[in-house]
Amino acid sequence: MKRVLVIDDATTVRMYYRQVLEAQGFAVEEAGNGYEGLEKALASPFDLYIVDVNMPKMDGYTLLRTVRQEPSISATPAIMISTEGQNQDAVAAYVAGANLYFQKPVRPETLVLHVRLLTGENPP
Amino acid sequence: MPIHFLKSVACFKGVCTVEEAEPLLQWLQDQPRAKIKLRECTHLHTAILQVLLVANPPVTLPPQDPELARWLMPALQNDR
Amino acid sequence: MSPLLAQFIAESRDQLELIGVGLLAIENHPDDLDRLNDVFRAAHTIKGSSGLFEIKPITLLVHAAEDLLDALRSQEVRFERAMVDRLLDAFDHLSQWLDEMERNESLPESLETTARELGATLRVFLQGRDVAAPVESLTAPVFADLVWIGQWAEADRAALYHRLATSAEPLTLFRYTPDSQCFFNGEDPFYQVRQLLGLALLDIAPVEPWPPLAELDAYRCALRFTGVACASLAELTTQFRYVPDQVTLLAATPETLAVPTGRAGETVHGGFVAEALTLVDQEDWASLRGITETLLDTYDPDTWMASALRWLLRMLDSTMPDPAAVRLLLDAIPAQQGPDWLQALMSSSAPVVAVLLQRPLSEIEQAAFQRVVAEQARVLDLPEDPATWAGRIGSVCASLANALRYVRRTDLLEELDEAEEIALSVHTAEALRNVLARLLDDEQPLPDEEAPLLAKVEGALIDKSALKTLKVDQTKVDRLMDLIGELVVAKNSLPYLARRAERVYGSRDLAREIKDQYGVINRIAQELQGSIMQVRMMPVGHVFQRFPRLVRDLSKKLDKKIRLVVEGEGTEADKNIIETLADPLIHILRNSIDHGIEPPEERLARGKPGEGQIRVKAYQDNDNVAIEITDDGRGVDSAAVKNKLVRRGLLTVEQADGLSDHEIVQWIFAPGLSTADQISDISGRGVGMDVVRTSVERVGGSVTVHSQRGVGTDIRLTLPLSMAVTHVMAVELDGKLIGVPMDIVVETVRLAPAAIYTIKHREAFILRDRLTPLMRLRRLLEMTEPATGGAALATLVVKIRGESVGIVVDNFREGMEVILKPLDGVLAGLKHYAGTALLGDGSVMLVLNLKELL
């Protein structure tokens, strides 16, 4: 079972990702800010990180930059999802270390499809 | 012109395009007792549909095109 | 209420409390940036989550508040006391709206205006600052609930439910709210909706209450189309691809239609639900049906209860009722409200995305894959940062590898691995970029399902050319092909030059250098040739397309039942080859239908199924493409063929008797031999299979047939993948060069005259213990033969139609690649020659067609 770490300060958003992804057979862990996310990421391996931008304690950019420099987890694919939809927002996400960028809200089918692609999880 | 305006009746024919929405609106505003005939209409543009929904004139003859009638008529009769 | 919505309301209330306290603190300490940040983030959180629901007023208002807070914390605007008043006012409204949500699970649309007005009072403070217009959400919101399905008459929904139960069609819900300015873009949303595949239910309603007729703006679209279509999510996504942000789609199950409607408030028979649930656990559908019917009789048909029970019965009508769905409906009965099918869709593992993920890959999946690849290309094109380089490369490669696994392109994983290694060790992503470019070229990108950020990418960040497919006029490719052919020939002059350098000018070194250069040019020319060949490749399926119609029409005409099975239509070969194939294949097919497959009565009498089968199968076989046409008909009557061969004087009786059945059957390709007893107008007037062989051999292919009387016939065509360049073996004859196609040359031997036997005026020799016929090329071409004495004879061993034959020539020369030009004009009738080829020294060489000559 592929493991996805969801890092977002909004409980509702985390719950939404959890509902959508668990229904499709993913194991979902949550973290409420970048710092907590980094701790969880370092504690056990994940197949994908889904990261919000604006969070207390440590924001998504800092988290991704740190992840990309940490050899044990640096190659883990990451999707960044935030409320902004400008080109520069995607670029900032990619500079920080994201592999895909979406604007909130993401439709469940879109989310699941891209999570499957980035984790290589083929549907049954 | 696919919409023919008679004294108090407008006859729709064929495909009624967006250009006719404004004249239709004008006519309906001037004709509080207007009726419309859609018998020979095969499609009407969304803008016209909207005008009809607001003005809500009685439709004396529904479209012959069964598919158009199926989607259009329930909407037109909704508010009555 | 859905747990998600409940969570949202609870979380937002917490945030509002934070905001309230924070704002009061800020009022006293406007410079407290930490506080400002907290308040901003709380507002941001509400906004982000609100997008998950259909609650535009909340999203709009929080967005405005967030903008003001953002401007404050970044010190773009100066703090004013009035700001706090307005912000508190806005958040108070928000708090009331959350209460409203908790009561009704939705907000009246009229609040949108209130939200805009409140938002405007906040945006006043932002004047003078360059505010970007709020970006409308690029992705459409999801449905908040599905109770709106109850707006359609139960009878209509029941009819649809019934239809879906028997047809297993997909079902997709849609809500399309066209942009208010869409008429100016030439859009006609009503027309677009009418075009939807499988449109089954439709509601047309205004997005807000209509203004009086006198104030109506005819050119502002204020409608919303909601409906249900018997089409897959992918199909509707494609149909709405130009307005993805205005459409909400959801793949649904038929149960979604089961929304009970009617007068609520009837008393519910206490034990029913509990008893029914027990029966569901036991899957005792018959008993459940029984008690449901009994209960239904006790309610007025107009009531909610009656409606729910009717839906229950409809579900039970299914051969295999879905226990989960039945339970959900039963659970709704005590409250006489619901059920929430959206919850069921979200939590069950099957539906929501099932449509997306069916095999083979859907367009949406392809597009998503392309998007993943394109975005990785973007990442690679970013300015380098040594600190994150390894992580960036690693994550890009991991993402790509996983995406490749998803789309089942594991063949590329190794290449990707190598590119990653290069990128990590020598710090350049060039190899990786090449892999990406190939993936992007591979499939044409489809219009993305949500025209995402990708579409807005500025030129510098992504190589747009990598996404494009070029359409080229075929004559241009042909011209390129001709030029490459000339290059191949021109390059052949270098060995001559080397020889001249050595012999005439005595410079061995120069000769070697020329030969080295020749090697380089030769390699490039071959690669060039290979690449252009790839361009000209097309799938054989192009020709197969006509077959189903042909089989259908002919079998109808002949009163036969025939099933056509086509396999391997994706196999590729050169365009010219494919085009040559069309006529022979149709000829073979006609023959199978006309002569091969028996009429149904005859088949049944023979114990075969009444329906005959013709299988056309293409596959690649080394450098050839093979096509097999197999039928299970009566097979070739070898006795009849033998008879005819003898009667026509093509074979003597003894010769014929000496041949095996298999060998006899090959004669069906001989000119003028038609085995059918009568000439029908279907296989043509006596035009035999010789036409097939001639056209196939003209492009360097071959044809064989296997047939078993009563069981069927199997005809196999083998064709080269490409015919641009021909490998020939050059031989000397009477001081001139003559070419022999390399593909038939087996070996060269030097034969002592003593080793030649003469049997009945025919010569032969022993080749590996087999007596092999021997021909002399001079004799075949009616040239004089000089006495050769006891010298060994240069003999070319060729294989023609499976038989080895020795051909005596004056001398062997080198093998070479030539561009074969068919003979034309008056020479076209000379069947002994396949064509001419221009040699490197400018002379012309004739190339033999040995199959015709022998």
Side-chain angles (χ1 to χ4, degrees), chain C residues 540-541 544 547 564-571 581 585 589 613-621 625-631 714-719:
Chain C
V540 292
F544 291 1
F547 296 173
L564 175 72
V565 181
V566 176
E567 289 173 23
E569 51 269 69
T571 314
L581 265 175
L585 279 177
L589 215 57
Q613 178 178 296
I614 299 179
R615 179 188 296 266
V616 181
K617 180 182 173 187
Y619 56 94
Q620 196 173 332
D621 181 12
V625 50
I627 299 179
E628 289 176 4
I629 302 96
T630 315
D631 69 50
D714 174 6
I715 294 177
R716 185 186 147 124
L717 312 183
T718 311
L719 295 144

Side-chain angles (χ1 to χ4, degrees), chain A residues 9-12 23-24 56 68 74-75 83 85-87 94 99 101-103 105 108-110 117-118 120 122-123, chain C residues 7-8 11 41 44-45 51 135 138-139 142 346 353 356-357 359 371 375-376 378 391 395 398 402-403 449-450 453:
Chain A
D9 58 333
T11 323
T12 311
Q24 298 299 323
R68 291 286 172 253
S74 70
T83 45
Q86 304 290 344
N87 187 47
Y94 292 149
N99 297 99
Y101 180 83
F102 286 104
Q103 184 187 14
E109 56 270 25
T110 306
L117 276 163
L118 287 201
N122 224 349
Chain C
Q7 171 61 42
F8 169 72
E11 182 178 25
R41 196 173 301 109
H44 184 80
T45 300
V135 190
L138 285 177
T139 47
V142 294
M346 299 288 285
V353 286
L356 282 176
L357 303 172
R359 300 285 152 250
R371 175 168 178 196
E375 299 295 280
Q376 302 321 298
R378 259 180 107 177
S395 68
N402 284 335
E449 136 214 34
E450 48 191 344
L453 300 162

Side-chain angles (χ1 to χ4, degrees), chain C residues 375 378 451-458 464:
Chain C
E375 299 295 280
R378 259 180 107 177
L453 300 162
L454 185 59
K456 294 188 186 172
V457 170
E458 285 142 24
K464 279 189 183 158

Side-chain angles (χ1 to χ4, degrees), chain C residues 68-124:
Chain C
L68 178 56
L69 289 164
D70 193 29
L72 266 176
R73 68 173 186 154
S74 55
Q75 293 171 325
E76 285 172 62
V77 293
R78 290 259 294 266
F79 177 80
E80 292 171 44
R81 246 157 222 284
M83 286 178 181
V84 174
D85 295 340
R86 297 282 164 75
L87 281 168
L88 285 171
D89 185 34
F91 287 114
D92 282 347
H93 273 88
L94 205 65
S95 177
Q96 287 166 24
W97 294 349
L98 287 174
D99 296 345
E100 170 84 22
M101 289 286 297
E102 191 165 39
R103 279 193 300 273
N104 301 328
E105 301 192 21
S106 68
L107 289 177
E109 263 149 11
S110 56
L111 282 184
E112 214 176 297
T113 323
T114 318
R116 282 185 205 279
E117 284 163 9
L118 284 168
T121 65
L122 295 173
R123 290 192 193 277
V124 166

Side-chain angles (χ1 to χ4, degrees), chain A residues 7 31-39 55-60 63:
Chain A
I7 307 150
N33 61 59
Y35 188 77
E36 196 188 317
L38 188 60
E39 281 187 327
M55 293 181 286
K57 288 192 186 168
M58 182 192 280
D59 69 8
L63 168 67

Side-chain angles (χ1 to χ4, degrees), chain A residues 2 8-17 19-20 22-25 47-48 52-57 64-69 74-78 82-91 93-110 112-114 116-124, chain C residues 3-4 7-8 11 15 40-41 44-45 47-49 51-53 66 73 135-142 233 244 247 249-250 343 346-350 352-353 356-357 359 364-365 368-369 371-372 375-376 378-379 382 387-388 390-392 394-396 398-399 402-403 405-408 449-450 453 456-458 461:
Chain A
K2 302 282 181 182
D8 194 311
D9 58 333
T11 323
T12 311
V13 173
R14 294 203 302 271
M15 188 168 164
Y16 166 71
Y17 295 154
Q19 270 188 11
V20 169
E22 282 186 345
Q24 298 299 323
D47 298 286
L48 179 74
D52 182 26
V53 173
N54 210 305
M55 293 181 286
K57 288 192 186 168
L64 281 179
R65 251 195 308 280
T66 317
V67 164
R68 291 286 172 253
Q69 293 177 51
S74 70
T76 308
S82 177
T83 45
E84 308 307 315
Q86 304 290 344
N87 187 47
Q88 73 227 32
D89 299 303
V91 173
Y94 292 149
V95 168
N99 297 99
L100 271 185
Y101 180 83
F102 286 104
Q103 184 187 14
K104 277 184 193 173
V106 185
R107 277 191 250 162
E109 56 270 25
T110 306
V112 169
L113 177 56
H114 287 89
R116 281 187 189 282
L117 276 163
L118 287 201
T119 56
E121 178 75 358
N122 224 349
Chain C
L4 196 62
Q7 171 61 42
F8 169 72
E11 182 178 25
Q15 303 290 354
F40 168 79
R41 196 173 301 109
H44 184 80
T45 300
K47 187 187 102 181
S49 308
L52 296 173
F53 311 94
E66 186 197 10
R73 68 173 186 154
V135 190
E136 284 289 315
S137 166
L138 285 177
T139 47
V142 294
L233 182 60
V247 178
L249 295 175
L250 182 67
Q343 258 329 102
M346 299 288 285
S347 56
S348 89
S349 57
V352 185
V353 286
L356 282 176
L357 303 172
R359 300 285 152 250
I364 291 175
E365 286 176 297
F369 172 71
R371 175 168 178 196
V372 168
E375 299 295 280
Q376 302 321 298
R378 259 180 107 177
V379 172
L382 292 171
T388 57
R392 190 183 278 175
S395 68
V396 161
S399 301
N402 284 335
R405 284 188 194 104
Y406 181 93
V407 298
R408 300 187 298 273
E449 136 214 34
E450 48 191 344
L453 300 162
K456 294 188 186 172
V457 170
E458 285 142 24
L461 274 160

